[in-house]
Amino acid sequence: MNQSKRFLDIVTDIRDMIRREKIKPGNRIPSERELAEKLQVGRSTLREALRSLELLGLIETRRGEGTFLSDHRNHQLVEVLSTFILQDTQSQEDVWQTRLIHEISAIRTICQNSKLASLKVWDSFRNRLNENESLYREDFVRELMVLSGNRLSLKIWFLLQQYSGNPYQEPVTEDEKEMLLPLLAALEQQDMSSAIDLFKTWSSWLQKGRMQNGNDTRDL
Amino acid sequence: MNQSKRFLDIVTDIRDMIRREKIKPGNRIPSERELAEKLQVGRSTLREALRSLELLGLIETRRGEGTFLSDHRNHQLVEVLSTFILQDTQSQEDVWQTRLIHEISAIRTICQNSKLASLKVWDSFRNRLNENESLYREDFVRELMVLSGNRLSLKIWFLLQQYSGNPYQEPVTEDEKEMLLPLLAALEQQDMSSAIDLFKTWSSWLQKGRMQNGNDTRDL
DNA sequence: AAAATATGAGTGGCCAGACCACTTTCAAAT
DNA sequence: ATTTGAAAGTGGTCTGGCCACTCATATTTT
């Protein structure tokens, strides 16, 4: 059963660690030797995971200095692309809706792929919810997008996500557990319609909160 | 002077080799030991590159068998890998799928909006089909996108459409009437599931035609 | 005292060699 | 002719080592 690739586990382990230790973009993460020791893996295996993350643009390495979480918010390309796509889109509602389109489509794909049903990711998320570990909303949804397997959709989603206000950049609250735990269950059982309904419920719950705050679109 | 990461060079080297040797999706690429020897790098360094490509979904590895070019994808993505950090995913398959996501979402919205059911547009299209007037595929689908009311989605769709090859820039053929007329009917009756099924059928019919033509891989 | 220089610890980059687990192949045994 | 099993080949992983680079500190030079 456990023929899963080690380096993929390490990728998620590292991500978990980053969240747990609250490492922020630009911060340094432990050295390769340190991480290898902590995760009980060889350094070369660990490096395979790190190099993958680097190719994805999630981390930066500087020889002699260390490895750093890359600040994707400063990515120039993101700026260029977004101004291109979002030029004259005044409607925040459209951004929200379009992002939702991609998310729900991802859920559809996931529920149709039986290989994705029995994945340790679900357990991981469930634990983090039950354990009251800090879990960022964005991290959960991004995982869905990644699992869907459509990289382009993932990229579009990522852009939209940055323009959807900030609810995604905050941890899940106590109230949301009641929606997310059933959602995890539905995903595991490949119950597509339930999963979509639950996700929509969560999403509109988030949107409601966003409207009240409304201090969005602050930076950029 | 050679600041560039070795494993990034390897990524592009592998891409070049794949192109040179005309390795096609599903084919096996040389073993790690062989590649390491050929490229004059250590095996672990080579593996860092391979693992990155694997995480990107470009290759598959099967223990005991070998490493294979991933099926569903198009190596056009490999093209872009050199400039990867400025990621610009170009998998044709992803583009197609993502465009489909937006189109089907538009159909969903249309079917849910009763105001759109009794519209003279449907009659107009029906007539043009029956009258054998020349009707461009793109015109029809664009109308769907417009009707959905999401301008951002329309905009993204338009971009994707330009990258999806040219089947959209040609008139509908005789064969397609059998799919499009029922589709129009389903839209009028707000029969969402039928409409989606019919549209998918049409879409995959188009894609099939595209595959036969496009023996491209002609580089950019 | 200030500035230039040397040192050493820590880091990522890379490599060679060694096992292991697994799949395929093909020759030997039945 | 079929089954069995040994060998070769492959990816997965680990160890230990060396190099190149950065940075803070100590040392020497001015």
mmCIF file of all heavy atoms in Angstrom, chain C residues 11-24:
data_model
loop_
_atom_site.group_PDB
_atom_site.id
_atom_site.type_symbol
_atom_site.label_atom_id
_atom_site.label_comp_id
_atom_site.label_asym_id
_atom_site.label_seq_id
_atom_site.Cartn_x
_atom_site.Cartn_y
_atom_site.Cartn_z
ATOM 1 P P DT C 11 23.006 25.846 8.836
ATOM 2 O OP1 DT C 11 21.724 26.381 9.320
ATOM 3 O OP2 DT C 11 23.426 24.461 9.166
ATOM 4 O "O5'" DT C 11 23.032 25.989 7.263
ATOM 5 C "C5'" DT C 11 22.608 27.228 6.661
ATOM 6 C "C4'" DT C 11 22.951 27.211 5.208
ATOM 7 O "O4'" DT C 11 24.380 27.040 5.076
ATOM 8 C "C3'" DT C 11 22.376 26.017 4.455
ATOM 9 O "O3'" DT C 11 21.147 26.345 3.865
ATOM 10 C "C2'" DT C 11 23.416 25.754 3.361
ATOM 11 C "C1'" DT C 11 24.614 26.566 3.781
ATOM 12 N N1 DT C 11 25.870 25.777 3.799
ATOM 13 C C2 DT C 11 26.723 25.928 2.747
ATOM 14 O O2 DT C 11 26.506 26.662 1.805
ATOM 15 N N3 DT C 11 27.856 25.166 2.828
ATOM 16 C C4 DT C 11 28.210 24.296 3.845
ATOM 17 O O4 DT C 11 29.264 23.673 3.817
ATOM 18 C C5 DT C 11 27.266 24.190 4.912
ATOM 19 C C7 DT C 11 27.547 23.268 6.053
ATOM 20 C C6 DT C 11 26.156 24.928 4.834
ATOM 21 P P DG C 12 20.342 25.168 3.198
ATOM 22 O OP1 DG C 12 18.937 25.572 3.263
ATOM 23 O OP2 DG C 12 20.788 23.918 3.812
ATOM 24 O "O5'" DG C 12 20.832 25.182 1.694
ATOM 25 C "C5'" DG C 12 20.480 26.278 0.852
ATOM 26 C "C4'" DG C 12 21.344 26.259 -0.393
ATOM 27 O "O4'" DG C 12 22.704 25.939 -0.040
ATOM 28 C "C3'" DG C 12 20.943 25.221 -1.443
ATOM 29 O "O3'" DG C 12 21.135 25.788 -2.725
ATOM 30 C "C2'" DG C 12 21.902 24.080 -1.184
ATOM 31 C "C1'" DG C 12 23.159 24.857 -0.799
ATOM 32 N N9 DG C 12 24.088 24.092 0.018
ATOM 33 C C8 DG C 12 23.855 23.560 1.256
ATOM 34 N N7 DG C 12 24.892 22.927 1.750
ATOM 35 C C5 DG C 12 25.860 23.053 0.770
ATOM 36 C C6 DG C 12 27.187 22.579 0.736
ATOM 37 O O6 DG C 12 27.799 21.932 1.590
ATOM 38 N N1 DG C 12 27.828 22.922 -0.457
ATOM 39 C C2 DG C 12 27.249 23.643 -1.483
ATOM 40 N N2 DG C 12 28.009 23.871 -2.555
ATOM 41 N N3 DG C 12 26.016 24.104 -1.455
ATOM 42 C C4 DG C 12 25.383 23.768 -0.305
ATOM 43 P P DG C 13 20.938 24.888 -4.032
ATOM 44 O OP1 DG C 13 20.572 25.766 -5.152
ATOM 45 O OP2 DG C 13 20.076 23.779 -3.606
ATOM 46 O "O5'" DG C 13 22.395 24.315 -4.317
ATOM 47 C "C5'" DG C 13 23.331 25.128 -5.019
ATOM 48 C "C4'" DG C 13 24.298 24.258 -5.794
ATOM 49 O "O4'" DG C 13 25.184 23.577 -4.873
ATOM 50 C "C3'" DG C 13 23.628 23.160 -6.623
ATOM 51 O "O3'" DG C 13 24.292 23.074 -7.874
ATOM 52 C "C2'" DG C 13 23.807 21.912 -5.779
ATOM 53 C "C1'" DG C 13 25.148 22.189 -5.110
ATOM 54 N N9 DG C 13 25.307 21.539 -3.815
ATOM 55 C C8 DG C 13 24.377 21.464 -2.810
ATOM 56 N N7 DG C 13 24.806 20.826 -1.753
ATOM 57 C C5 DG C 13 26.107 20.451 -2.077
ATOM 58 C C6 DG C 13 27.070 19.746 -1.329
ATOM 59 O O6 DG C 13 26.973 19.294 -0.194
ATOM 60 N N1 DG C 13 28.271 19.577 -2.041
ATOM 61 C C2 DG C 13 28.481 20.052 -3.305
ATOM 62 N N2 DG C 13 29.683 19.793 -3.831
ATOM 63 N N3 DG C 13 27.593 20.717 -4.021
ATOM 64 C C4 DG C 13 26.424 20.888 -3.344
ATOM 65 P P DC C 14 23.801 22.012 -8.954
ATOM 66 O OP1 DC C 14 24.238 22.532 -10.266
ATOM 67 O OP2 DC C 14 22.398 21.666 -8.691
ATOM 68 O "O5'" DC C 14 24.697 20.766 -8.634
ATOM 69 C "C5'" DC C 14 26.105 20.859 -8.822
ATOM 70 C "C4'" DC C 14 26.775 19.611 -8.329
ATOM 71 O "O4'" DC C 14 26.566 19.478 -6.911
ATOM 72 C "C3'" DC C 14 26.215 18.327 -8.931
ATOM 73 O "O3'" DC C 14 27.119 17.873 -9.930
ATOM 74 C "C2'" DC C 14 26.100 17.358 -7.750
ATOM 75 C "C1'" DC C 14 26.752 18.118 -6.606
ATOM 76 N N1 DC C 14 26.172 17.848 -5.271
ATOM 77 C C2 DC C 14 26.946 17.216 -4.304
ATOM 78 O O2 DC C 14 28.104 16.904 -4.590
ATOM 79 N N3 DC C 14 26.425 16.963 -3.083
ATOM 80 C C4 DC C 14 25.166 17.326 -2.806
ATOM 81 N N4 DC C 14 24.688 17.068 -1.591
ATOM 82 C C5 DC C 14 24.350 17.985 -3.768
ATOM 83 C C6 DC C 14 24.888 18.217 -4.982
ATOM 84 P P DC C 15 26.822 16.625 -10.804
ATOM 85 O OP1 DC C 15 27.529 16.817 -12.074
ATOM 86 O OP2 DC C 15 25.381 16.366 -10.766
ATOM 87 O "O5'" DC C 15 27.563 15.477 -10.010
ATOM 88 C "C5'" DC C 15 28.922 15.672 -9.636
ATOM 89 C "C4'" DC C 15 29.352 14.603 -8.665
ATOM 90 O "O4'" DC C 15 28.706 14.800 -7.398
ATOM 91 C "C3'" DC C 15 28.979 13.185 -9.116
ATOM 92 O "O3'" DC C 15 30.158 12.464 -9.404
ATOM 93 C "C2'" DC C 15 28.220 12.581 -7.935
ATOM 94 C "C1'" DC C 15 28.540 13.537 -6.794
ATOM 95 N N1 DC C 15 27.441 13.626 -5.792
ATOM 96 C C2 DC C 15 27.644 13.118 -4.514
ATOM 97 O O2 DC C 15 28.739 12.607 -4.248
ATOM 98 N N3 DC C 15 26.644 13.209 -3.602
ATOM 99 C C4 DC C 15 25.487 13.776 -3.937
ATOM 100 N N4 DC C 15 24.540 13.859 -3.021
ATOM 101 C C5 DC C 15 25.255 14.312 -5.252
ATOM 102 C C6 DC C 15 26.250 14.201 -6.137
ATOM 103 P P DA C 16 30.117 11.220 -10.389
ATOM 104 O OP1 DA C 16 31.192 11.446 -11.371
ATOM 105 O OP2 DA C 16 28.731 10.979 -10.846
ATOM 106 O "O5'" DA C 16 30.533 10.009 -9.459
ATOM 107 C "C5'" DA C 16 31.671 10.148 -8.608
ATOM 108 C "C4'" DA C 16 31.586 9.133 -7.503
ATOM 109 O "O4'" DA C 16 30.584 9.560 -6.547
ATOM 110 C "C3'" DA C 16 31.190 7.729 -7.973
ATOM 111 O "O3'" DA C 16 32.155 6.789 -7.518
ATOM 112 C "C2'" DA C 16 29.808 7.503 -7.361
ATOM 113 C "C1'" DA C 16 29.809 8.431 -6.159
ATOM 114 N N9 DA C 16 28.481 8.927 -5.788
ATOM 115 C C8 DA C 16 27.559 9.529 -6.604
ATOM 116 N N7 DA C 16 26.451 9.877 -5.998
ATOM 117 C C5 DA C 16 26.657 9.472 -4.684
ATOM 118 C C6 DA C 16 25.856 9.555 -3.530
ATOM 119 N N6 DA C 16 24.627 10.096 -3.530
ATOM 120 N N1 DA C 16 26.353 9.069 -2.382
ATOM 121 C C2 DA C 16 27.584 8.523 -2.393
ATOM 122 N N3 DA C 16 28.441 8.393 -3.403
ATOM 123 C C4 DA C 16 27.908 8.889 -4.545
ATOM 124 P P DG C 17 32.112 5.300 -8.083
ATOM 125 O OP1 DG C 17 33.512 4.850 -8.231
ATOM 126 O OP2 DG C 17 31.183 5.247 -9.218
ATOM 127 O "O5'" DG C 17 31.463 4.495 -6.862
ATOM 128 C "C5'" DG C 17 31.863 4.798 -5.548
ATOM 129 C "C4'" DG C 17 30.877 4.217 -4.562
ATOM 130 O "O4'" DG C 17 29.714 5.085 -4.450
ATOM 131 C "C3'" DG C 17 30.340 2.832 -4.950
ATOM 132 O "O3'" DG C 17 30.486 1.956 -3.843
ATOM 133 C "C2'" DG C 17 28.869 3.101 -5.287
ATOM 134 C "C1'" DG C 17 28.559 4.268 -4.370
ATOM 135 N N9 DG C 17 27.379 5.045 -4.736
ATOM 136 C C8 DG C 17 27.040 5.512 -5.983
ATOM 137 N N7 DG C 17 25.913 6.182 -5.994
ATOM 138 C C5 DG C 17 25.480 6.146 -4.672
ATOM 139 C C6 DG C 17 24.320 6.693 -4.073
ATOM 140 O O6 DG C 17 23.409 7.341 -4.603
ATOM 141 N N1 DG C 17 24.266 6.423 -2.709
ATOM 142 C C2 DG C 17 25.214 5.717 -2.019
ATOM 143 N N2 DG C 17 25.000 5.557 -0.719
ATOM 144 N N3 DG C 17 26.306 5.197 -2.565
ATOM 145 C C4 DG C 17 26.376 5.450 -3.891
ATOM 146 P P DA C 18 30.482 0.357 -4.101
ATOM 147 O OP1 DA C 18 31.721 -0.177 -3.510
ATOM 148 O OP2 DA C 18 30.160 0.073 -5.511
ATOM 149 O "O5'" DA C 18 29.253 -0.110 -3.209
ATOM 150 C "C5'" DA C 18 29.227 0.310 -1.855
ATOM 151 C "C4'" DA C 18 27.800 0.500 -1.400
ATOM 152 O "O4'" DA C 18 27.167 1.521 -2.201
ATOM 153 C "C3'" DA C 18 26.897 -0.721 -1.564
ATOM 154 O "O3'" DA C 18 26.837 -1.439 -0.336
ATOM 155 C "C2'" DA C 18 25.532 -0.113 -1.935
ATOM 156 C "C1'" DA C 18 25.776 1.377 -2.012
ATOM 157 N N9 DA C 18 25.070 2.041 -3.101
ATOM 158 C C8 DA C 18 25.447 2.137 -4.410
ATOM 159 N N7 DA C 18 24.599 2.807 -5.153
ATOM 160 C C5 DA C 18 23.605 3.174 -4.264
ATOM 161 C C6 DA C 18 22.411 3.906 -4.429
ATOM 162 N N6 DA C 18 22.013 4.410 -5.606
ATOM 163 N N1 DA C 18 21.640 4.093 -3.345
ATOM 164 C C2 DA C 18 22.046 3.577 -2.166
ATOM 165 N N3 DA C 18 23.145 2.884 -1.885
ATOM 166 C C4 DA C 18 23.886 2.717 -2.998
ATOM 167 P P DC C 19 26.735 -3.037 -0.418
ATOM 168 O OP1 DC C 19 27.755 -3.633 0.454
ATOM 169 O OP2 DC C 19 26.666 -3.436 -1.828
ATOM 170 O "O5'" DC C 19 25.303 -3.309 0.237
ATOM 171 C "C5'" DC C 19 24.174 -3.093 -0.580
ATOM 172 C "C4'" DC C 19 23.033 -2.548 0.225
ATOM 173 O "O4'" DC C 19 22.709 -1.216 -0.243
ATOM 174 C "C3'" DC C 19 21.790 -3.410 0.073
ATOM 175 O "O3'" DC C 19 21.126 -3.657 1.282
ATOM 176 C "C2'" DC C 19 20.921 -2.620 -0.929
ATOM 177 C "C1'" DC C 19 21.398 -1.180 -0.789
ATOM 178 N N1 DC C 19 21.436 -0.544 -2.152
ATOM 179 C C2 DC C 19 20.433 0.356 -2.510
ATOM 180 O O2 DC C 19 19.550 0.616 -1.683
ATOM 181 N N3 DC C 19 20.449 0.906 -3.755
ATOM 182 C C4 DC C 19 21.417 0.584 -4.606
ATOM 183 N N4 DC C 19 21.403 1.148 -5.810
ATOM 184 C C5 DC C 19 22.455 -0.335 -4.244
ATOM 185 C C6 DC C 19 22.424 -0.875 -3.019
ATOM 186 P P DC C 20 20.146 -4.896 1.290
ATOM 187 O OP1 DC C 20 19.991 -5.323 2.687
ATOM 188 O OP2 DC C 20 20.568 -5.835 0.247
ATOM 189 O "O5'" DC C 20 18.779 -4.231 0.795
ATOM 190 C "C5'" DC C 20 18.187 -3.187 1.566
ATOM 191 C "C4'" DC C 20 16.992 -2.619 0.819
ATOM 192 O "O4'" DC C 20 17.443 -1.930 -0.362
ATOM 193 C "C3'" DC C 20 15.987 -3.678 0.359
ATOM 194 O "O3'" DC C 20 14.745 -3.435 0.990
ATOM 195 C "C2'" DC C 20 15.901 -3.506 -1.157
ATOM 196 C "C1'" DC C 20 16.496 -2.117 -1.390
ATOM 197 N N1 DC C 20 17.213 -1.974 -2.684
ATOM 198 C C2 DC C 20 16.682 -1.172 -3.683
ATOM 199 O O2 DC C 20 15.608 -0.599 -3.480
ATOM 200 N N3 DC C 20 17.361 -1.041 -4.860
ATOM 201 C C4 DC C 20 18.514 -1.676 -5.031
ATOM 202 N N4 DC C 20 19.146 -1.517 -6.188
ATOM 203 C C5 DC C 20 19.084 -2.493 -4.018
ATOM 204 C C6 DC C 20 18.410 -2.620 -2.874
ATOM 205 P P DA C 21 13.609 -4.578 0.877
ATOM 206 O OP1 DA C 21 12.774 -4.439 2.093
ATOM 207 O OP2 DA C 21 14.234 -5.864 0.526
ATOM 208 O "O5'" DA C 21 12.758 -4.089 -0.372
ATOM 209 C "C5'" DA C 21 12.159 -2.812 -0.332
ATOM 210 C "C4'" DA C 21 11.354 -2.587 -1.602
ATOM 211 O "O4'" DA C 21 12.264 -2.358 -2.707
ATOM 212 C "C3'" DA C 21 10.463 -3.761 -2.022
ATOM 213 O "O3'" DA C 21 9.238 -3.247 -2.499
ATOM 214 C "C2'" DA C 21 11.261 -4.441 -3.115
ATOM 215 C "C1'" DA C 21 11.974 -3.261 -3.759
ATOM 216 N N9 DA C 21 13.253 -3.572 -4.394
ATOM 217 C C8 DA C 21 14.230 -4.411 -3.948
ATOM 218 N N7 DA C 21 15.283 -4.475 -4.737
ATOM 219 C C5 DA C 21 14.975 -3.616 -5.774
ATOM 220 C C6 DA C 21 15.672 -3.245 -6.923
ATOM 221 N N6 DA C 21 16.882 -3.708 -7.247
ATOM 222 N N1 DA C 21 15.085 -2.360 -7.760
ATOM 223 C C2 DA C 21 13.876 -1.891 -7.429
ATOM 224 N N3 DA C 21 13.111 -2.166 -6.369
ATOM 225 C C4 DA C 21 13.733 -3.045 -5.576
ATOM 226 P P DC C 22 8.053 -4.260 -2.797
ATOM 227 O OP1 DC C 22 6.839 -3.619 -2.293
ATOM 228 O OP2 DC C 22 8.448 -5.622 -2.349
ATOM 229 O "O5'" DC C 22 7.996 -4.254 -4.382
ATOM 230 C "C5'" DC C 22 7.935 -3.009 -5.072
ATOM 231 C "C4'" DC C 22 8.430 -3.175 -6.494
ATOM 232 O "O4'" DC C 22 9.809 -3.560 -6.487
ATOM 233 C "C3'" DC C 22 7.726 -4.272 -7.298
ATOM 234 O "O3'" DC C 22 6.783 -3.651 -8.152
ATOM 235 C "C2'" DC C 22 8.854 -4.953 -8.083
ATOM 236 C "C1'" DC C 22 10.075 -4.113 -7.758
ATOM 237 N N1 DC C 22 11.367 -4.850 -7.679
ATOM 238 C C2 DC C 22 12.288 -4.713 -8.721
ATOM 239 O O2 DC C 22 12.016 -3.990 -9.682
ATOM 240 N N3 DC C 22 13.465 -5.384 -8.655
ATOM 241 C C4 DC C 22 13.733 -6.156 -7.602
ATOM 242 N N4 DC C 22 14.908 -6.786 -7.578
ATOM 243 C C5 DC C 22 12.809 -6.302 -6.530
ATOM 244 C C6 DC C 22 11.652 -5.644 -6.610
ATOM 245 P P DT C 23 5.754 -4.534 -9.015
ATOM 246 O OP1 DT C 23 4.575 -3.689 -9.278
ATOM 247 O OP2 DT C 23 5.627 -5.862 -8.363
ATOM 248 O "O5'" DT C 23 6.516 -4.741 -10.385
ATOM 249 C "C5'" DT C 23 6.727 -3.658 -11.283
ATOM 250 C "C4'" DT C 23 7.500 -4.088 -12.499
ATOM 251 O "O4'" DT C 23 8.796 -4.566 -12.084
ATOM 252 C "C3'" DT C 23 6.857 -5.203 -13.343
ATOM 253 O "O3'" DT C 23 6.712 -4.732 -14.642
ATOM 254 C "C2'" DT C 23 7.871 -6.380 -13.291
ATOM 255 C "C1'" DT C 23 9.108 -5.695 -12.809
ATOM 256 N N1 DT C 23 10.031 -6.506 -11.927
ATOM 257 C C2 DT C 23 9.795 -6.667 -10.597
ATOM 258 O O2 DT C 23 8.881 -6.207 -10.097
ATOM 259 N N3 DT C 23 10.716 -7.410 -9.900
ATOM 260 C C4 DT C 23 11.832 -7.998 -10.357
ATOM 261 O O4 DT C 23 12.592 -8.620 -9.642
ATOM 262 C C5 DT C 23 12.005 -7.810 -11.762
ATOM 263 C C7 DT C 23 13.081 -8.407 -12.281
ATOM 264 C C6 DT C 23 11.124 -7.074 -12.468
ATOM 265 P P DT C 24 6.031 -5.635 -15.756
ATOM 266 O OP1 DT C 24 5.338 -4.737 -16.681
ATOM 267 O OP2 DT C 24 5.329 -6.749 -15.086
ATOM 268 O "O5'" DT C 24 7.282 -6.259 -16.513
ATOM 269 C "C5'" DT C 24 8.313 -5.383 -16.949
ATOM 270 C "C4'" DT C 24 9.473 -6.188 -17.496
ATOM 271 O "O4'" DT C 24 10.182 -6.813 -16.418
ATOM 272 C "C3'" DT C 24 9.063 -7.315 -18.466
ATOM 273 O "O3'" DT C 24 9.717 -7.102 -19.705
ATOM 274 C "C2'" DT C 24 9.528 -8.599 -17.768
ATOM 275 C "C1'" DT C 24 10.602 -8.092 -16.814
ATOM 276 N N1 DT C 24 10.769 -8.866 -15.552
ATOM 277 C C2 DT C 24 12.021 -9.284 -15.167
ATOM 278 O O2 DT C 24 13.012 -9.058 -15.811
ATOM 279 N N3 DT C 24 12.061 -9.970 -13.982
ATOM 280 C C4 DT C 24 11.001 -10.284 -13.152
ATOM 281 O O4 DT C 24 11.163 -10.911 -12.125
ATOM 282 C C5 DT C 24 9.718 -9.819 -13.608
ATOM 283 C C7 DT C 24 8.495 -10.105 -12.809
ATOM 284 C C6 DT C 24 9.660 -9.138 -14.770
#
